[in-house]
Amino acid sequence: MCPWTRRAFVAGALSLPVSCAAADAYEGPDDARAAAPGRYFPNHGDPGFHVAEYDLRLTYRPATRTLDGVARVTATADAAGEGFGLDLSSTLTVSAVSVDGATAQFRHRRGKLRVTPVSPLSAGRRFVCEVRYSGRPKPLRTPFGEIGWDYTTGSPTGVLVASQPLGAPSWFPCNDQPGDKAAYRIAVTVPESYQVVANGELTDRTAVPGAGTTWTYQHAGPMASYLATLNIGRFVFTTQEGGPVPIRNAYPMRLAAAFDHDFGRQPQMMRLFQDLFGPYPFEVYGSVVVDAELDEPVENQTFSLFGVNHVDGRRGSEHLVAHELAHHWFGNSVSLVEWRHIWLNEGFATYCEWLWSEHSGGASADRLAARNWADLADDGQRLRIGDPGPDRIFDDRVYSRGACTLHALRTTIGDEAFFATLRAWAAEYRHGNAATGEFIALAERHGHRKLDDLFRPWLYEKRLPPLPQRV
């Protein structure tokens, strides 16, 4: 069993199969000096370079669960150095590495691929690193359970990828830190009876004699590595109209009628969020349902991932559909600088569930805030959600108390200033990264007042503050 599930009154955290496959151990660097200070997960990522594009060329064989990969990583060195590190599970075997076409030395152990080019990197140097690798991918065992590359439970067995926060190295070499966002090209060859869903737009589908079909997706991003997804199975593809961009969905054939009902209001959700927060930030959107039961859906950029248990024909999980869509403004386009600021992702997306409920004839945001505040008050535990600690970034209270923080802000500064703040947040940090301090500064600017007395107790004190009431 996956190690935890969140309570029902909040929604949308890490998504894992109910029955997880055997997993790799959580891996760290072989050189402790590589760990950057002040980050929750200093063993992931290398602050010495920035990736502009990942070009992944993969061949997957379902019968043996084997993956052959060529990853071309285009990057720029931010600092001079002898080499750099990429995150890649030790379950996968690296056979060759080159930098700018020249064979490079490398060492791969404990989840870190250390690359030493022929000539040292100088600050500002742009380079292309090519990594050839293969193996049988498995999810990584982390403090949050087994995440990353995993397998569906239906027949035939397919693949799902849900990487938040540390699972991306389970299937491709990457600079695995949320502040390093890049463009992606993902080309996957599978047997002709399988289909592929990945981030961005499907730009090519080509038959490969003797191998199957190559599906090529491209996404200009920019996108953090933990949001990259790959899903392989047997899907029906449909497109919903009425939103600002195409909404392209994929799901098992047997769920067609229930999916049409349960996900039928995605265009209305998108129009609402666009009216409230500004333009949808990417070129395409959609939901993919994999043939497995998942504890929770998961955000992946341009495609949200759901399990078959989220399709019941009664819109029982519609609040989760709203939650995952909202992440495209809050979490994907405006991304956190570091994982300690996770309330900016999850508190915002949870509040968007309340906004959709209010808009669609359900309970008002006032009522949902009061209900969640009461649940928090009944819970004897307390959490500083502005810096919850690395083991608690997906704690229930980050979601519900984060959403209550936003409702407290809304009732304090009024609707006009509140929604002006959210629109400015989505616009000024579009496709970038930001932290709590920047959000507070925006709220103060639009609210025309200092807000320390509001944000300090809600974010940085354990005691639960009273919920402000509308005047």
Side-chain angles (χ1 to χ4, degrees), residues 24 33 76 95 102 108 114 142 170 196 216 232 237 327 331 349 383 386 391 393 399 407 429 460:
D24 232 0
R33 293 171 298 176
T76 299
S95 57
H108 185 208
R114 298 285 175 193
T142 77
S170 67
V196 175
T216 302
I232 301 170
F237 292 91
H327 272 309
L383 186 68
D391 293 338
I393 60 173
Y399 293 67
H407 196 71
Y429 296 99
Y460 298 111

Side-chain angles (χ1 to χ4, degrees), residues 5-291:
T5 342
R6 294 175 40 239
R7 292 194 295 270
F9 68 90
V10 290
L14 181 65
S15 170
L16 294 169
V18 169
S19 177
C20 294
D24 232 0
Y26 177 56
E27 298 170 307
D30 56 306
D31 183 353
R33 293 171 298 176
R39 294 194 288 128
Y40 275 6
F41 308 111
N43 294 346
H44 279 244
D46 183 337
F49 70 103
H50 171 73
V51 179
E53 182 181 22
Y54 292 96
D55 184 349
L56 308 179
R57 305 172 189 181
L58 311 174
T59 299
Y60 178 65
R61 300 173 182 84
T64 56
R65 294 189 175 184
T66 54
L67 179 72
D68 291 327
V70 178
R72 291 174 57 86
V73 182
T74 302
T76 299
D78 292 332
E82 294 296 319
F84 55 92
L86 292 165
D87 300 290
L88 181 66
S89 170
S90 297
T91 299
L92 300 168
T93 300
V94 177
S95 57
V97 178
S98 65
V99 175
D100 293 333
T103 300
Q105 295 183 346
F106 67 90
R107 183 176 62 174
H108 185 208
R109 57 189 291 246
R110 298 189 63 198
K112 207 75 173 185
L113 176 62
R114 298 285 175 193
V115 180
T116 305
V118 174
S119 58
L121 298 176
S122 56
R125 173 181 165 184
R126 189 175 177 88
F127 62 93
V128 178
C129 175
E130 182 174 283
V131 180
R132 294 181 176 271
Y133 62 102
S134 60
R136 299 184 70 185
K138 297 190 297 184
L140 298 180
R141 185 177 295 118
T142 77
F144 313 102
E146 299 169 343
I147 58 176
W149 183 287
D150 213 332
Y151 300 93
T152 63
T153 54
S155 180
T157 301
V159 169
L160 66 94
V161 171
S163 291
Q164 188 184 29
L166 304 172
S170 67
W171 65 289
F172 72 102
C174 56
N175 192 16
D176 193 31
Q177 53 185 342
D180 194 13
K181 300 165 74 171
Y184 280 73
R185 178 182 181 275
I186 304 173
V188 187
T189 302
V190 293
E192 61 181 12
S193 59
Y194 285 79
Q195 292 85 42
V196 175
V197 180
N199 307 89
E201 294 184 291
L202 178 64
T203 57
D204 188 60
R205 188 171 61 188
T206 303
V208 181
T213 304
T214 299
W215 299 67
T216 302
Y217 287 81
Q218 290 189 275
H219 179 42
M223 179 170 74
S225 53
Y226 79 89
L227 295 169
T229 189
L230 176 62
N231 301 284
I232 301 170
R234 295 181 179 172
F235 301 107
V236 173
F237 292 91
T238 59
T239 300
Q240 289 172 306
E241 305 294 343
V245 301
I247 301 177
R248 296 172 180 165
N249 305 303
Y251 47 85
M253 170 69 81
R254 69 182 187 277
L255 299 179
F259 182 94
D260 286 348
H261 179 73
D262 292 356
F263 290 75
R265 298 201 285 188
Q266 287 185 121
Q268 293 96 311
M269 289 180 188
M270 185 172 282
R271 291 198 301 270
L272 171 66
F273 293 161
Q274 183 164 266
D275 288 344
L276 294 176
F277 314 133
Y280 175 76
F282 304 109
E283 69 276 16
V284 68
Y285 181 66
S287 295
V288 56
V289 179
V290 293
D291 206 352

Side-chain angles (χ1 to χ4, degrees), residues 144-463:
F144 313 102
E146 299 169 343
I147 58 176
W149 183 287
D150 213 332
Y151 300 93
T152 63
T153 54
S155 180
T157 301
V159 169
L160 66 94
V161 171
S163 291
Q164 188 184 29
L166 304 172
S170 67
W171 65 289
F172 72 102
C174 56
N175 192 16
D176 193 31
Q177 53 185 342
D180 194 13
K181 300 165 74 171
Y184 280 73
R185 178 182 181 275
I186 304 173
V188 187
T189 302
V190 293
E192 61 181 12
S193 59
Y194 285 79
Q195 292 85 42
V196 175
V197 180
N199 307 89
E201 294 184 291
L202 178 64
T203 57
D204 188 60
R205 188 171 61 188
T206 303
V208 181
T213 304
T214 299
W215 299 67
T216 302
Y217 287 81
Q218 290 189 275
H219 179 42
M223 179 170 74
S225 53
Y226 79 89
L227 295 169
T229 189
L230 176 62
N231 301 284
I232 301 170
R234 295 181 179 172
F235 301 107
V236 173
F237 292 91
T238 59
T239 300
Q240 289 172 306
E241 305 294 343
V245 301
I247 301 177
R248 296 172 180 165
N249 305 303
Y251 47 85
M253 170 69 81
R254 69 182 187 277
L255 299 179
F259 182 94
D260 286 348
H261 179 73
D262 292 356
F263 290 75
R265 298 201 285 188
Q266 287 185 121
Q268 293 96 311
M269 289 180 188
M270 185 172 282
R271 291 198 301 270
L272 171 66
F273 293 161
Q274 183 164 266
D275 288 344
L276 294 176
F277 314 133
Y280 175 76
F282 304 109
E283 69 276 16
V284 68
Y285 181 66
S287 295
V288 56
V289 179
V290 293
D291 206 352
E293 293 194 356
L294 307 183
D295 284 349
E296 299 285 350
V298 72
E299 57 182 290
N300 295 302
Q301 198 156 298
T302 74
F303 271 104
S304 297
L305 181 66
F306 297 84
V308 293
N309 52 309
H310 298 124
V311 186
D312 60 9
R314 300 186 300 274
R315 292 181 177 152
S317 296
E318 191 179 59
H319 62 294
L320 301 177
V321 178
H323 184 110
E324 304 310 332
L325 172 58
H327 272 309
H328 287 74
W329 284 266
F330 307 118
N332 298 356
S333 175
V334 183
S335 301
L336 43 78
V337 170
E338 212 283 325
W339 287 108
R340 73 180 67 250
H341 303 285
I342 186 65
W343 85 277
L344 292 170
N345 290 17
E346 301 302 349
F348 281 49
T350 301
Y351 196 68
C352 289
E353 296 179 34
W354 303 357
L355 294 174
W356 171 249
S357 174
E358 192 169 69
H359 175 80
S360 60
S364 68
D366 284 334
R367 182 177 177 184
L368 291 167
R371 184 186 303 169
N372 276 260
W373 187 91
D375 285 333
L376 289 164
D378 287 343
D379 188 340
Q381 300 184 59
R382 298 288 184 261
L383 186 68
R384 298 183 182 94
I385 64 168
D387 191 1
D391 293 338
R392 292 187 173 182
I393 60 173
F394 298 117
D395 189 286
D396 295 353
R397 289 155 290 186
V398 172
Y399 293 67
S400 57
R401 185 164 170 164
C404 284
T405 302
L406 291 172
H407 196 71
L409 175 64
R410 181 181 178 184
T411 56
T412 298
I413 66 175
D415 280 12
E416 182 177 354
F418 175 74
F419 287 108
T421 299
L422 295 192
R423 285 191 294 272
W425 180 248
E428 294 186 23
Y429 296 99
R430 180 182 173 93
H431 298 319
N433 297 79
T436 300
E438 282 96 352
F439 180 74
I440 293 173
L442 268 183
E444 291 180 336
R445 190 172 87 202
H446 288 276
H448 304 292
R449 70 188 76 180
K450 296 295 289 182
L451 293 168
D452 290 349
D453 290 345
L454 184 145
F455 282 110
R456 185 179 62 255
W458 277 103
L459 298 179
Y460 298 111
E461 294 178 5
K462 288 188 175 182
R463 179 183 60 85

